[in-house]
Amino acid sequence: QLDYLLYLPKNYENRESWPLLLFLHGAGERGDDLELVKKHGPPKLIAAGKDFPFIVVSPQCRKDRRWEPIELVALLDDLSGKHKIDDDRVYVTGLSMGGFGTWRLAAFAPDRLAAIAPICGGGEKYWARQFAHLPVWAFHGAKDTGVTPERSHMMIDELKRRGGTPKLTIYPKAGHDSWTDTYENPKLYEWLLDQKRMARNLTSFKGWEVYIWKEDGHTYFSLMVGTNRLKSAEEITKSAVKRFEAVKPKLEQLKKDESVFVHGRRLQE
């Protein structure tokens, strides 16, 4: 279980739902003191009095650990059940270790997210096949020697090769700290708010558009009837659950000990 800071926007009670911004800190803020999480990024700005048009959750990674996607998805599930979150507008950003965690979460649960903004992070090229459809705006310092900018270039180039349209901002004079300018830039938040979750089209099965992939021993799938007939990811999820019988033949090949997820959420029987 992750401890976290939670920010609720002004007039929170006046709206039915709000976008969620998940912030992942760097290695230096790990531990059991949540005050450390306020050192950088949105938590620092919130502590200084800045208002955000999001619910902002800032978990703390335990000492000597890295960000684990399955823990982050569990946190999103828990928050979704407790707060007025628009599940089609979940955004993830992080710096350094949190930048790596952002890339990794996108690969683990791509259909759970609306957009990501990794800062001075990186990942594995093969991850890109999972989320080429996802809006991405990455940031890096040209003089970063801790995590070289090639790590961001590699991910962006691979996403483009797979048909994605990611953005990359390189700060010519910045070293490892490319996050201060990024999080102080209102255009980042404007861009995030413009993004909404969308589904991928990977294959078809008996008239359905089916999305199936594997990650870390789990099998994920989502399902849609006809192109553009279901407008939102929430509608797709509801339809997939309702018509689960229709895809049982496709899923019988799964091992009994594997977990099945729909749009990043564990499917309950």
Side-chain angles (χ1 to χ4, degrees), residues 13 78 141 164 170 192 197 201:
E13 296 297 338
D78 182 64
I170 298 293
L192 288 172
R197 180 171 60 170
N201 183 7

Side-chain angles (χ1 to χ4, degrees), residues 57-122:
V57 61
S58 306
Q60 186 172 40
C61 188
R62 291 181 291 276
K63 185 178 180 181
D64 299 325
R65 295 284 306 278
R66 298 281 175 174
W67 292 113
E68 293 294 338
I70 196 167
E71 294 179 341
L72 295 171
V73 169
L75 174 61
L76 292 176
D77 286 341
D78 182 64
L79 291 166
S80 183
K82 294 178 178 177
H83 302 286
K84 300 195 294 184
I85 292 170
D86 183 346
D87 288 333
D88 286 334
R89 301 173 77 192
V90 175
Y91 313 116
V92 183
T93 184
L95 61 92
S96 194
M97 184 186 81
F100 282 88
T102 300
W103 287 114
R104 191 179 176 196
L105 180 58
F108 183 80
D111 293 321
R112 187 68 187 275
L113 309 177
I116 63 170
I119 303 173
C120 58

Side-chain angles (χ1 to χ4, degrees), residues 220-250:
Y220 294 78
F221 86 101
S222 59
L223 177 66
M224 180 165 57
V225 186
T227 304
N228 294 327
R229 287 182 59 188
L230 298 176
K231 301 299 183 182
S232 71
E234 185 67 25
E235 290 177 292
I236 295 167
T237 300
K238 289 179 179 178
S239 177
V241 173
K242 181 179 179 181
R243 297 297 303 273
F244 184 60
E245 292 293 325
V247 294
K248 271 190 175 179
K250 184 72 174 179

Side-chain angles (χ1 to χ4, degrees), residues 182-247:
T182 299
Y183 288 128
E184 290 180 353
N185 183 358
K187 292 187 179 299
L188 168 63
Y189 309 109
E190 294 169 5
W191 176 82
L192 288 172
L193 288 170
D194 284 340
Q195 313 308 319
K196 192 169 183 179
R197 180 171 60 170
M198 54 187 173
R200 296 179 292 167
N201 183 7
L202 300 184
T203 185
S204 63
F205 171 65
K206 293 185 178 180
W208 296 71
E209 293 177 1
V210 182
Y211 312 88
I212 299 179
W213 68 101
K214 290 191 175 185
E215 181 76 16
D216 293 341
H218 300 300
T219 298
Y220 294 78
F221 86 101
S222 59
L223 177 66
M224 180 165 57
V225 186
T227 304
N228 294 327
R229 287 182 59 188
L230 298 176
K231 301 299 183 182
S232 71
E234 185 67 25
E235 290 177 292
I236 295 167
T237 300
K238 289 179 179 178
S239 177
V241 173
K242 181 179 179 181
R243 297 297 303 273
F244 184 60
E245 292 293 325
V247 294

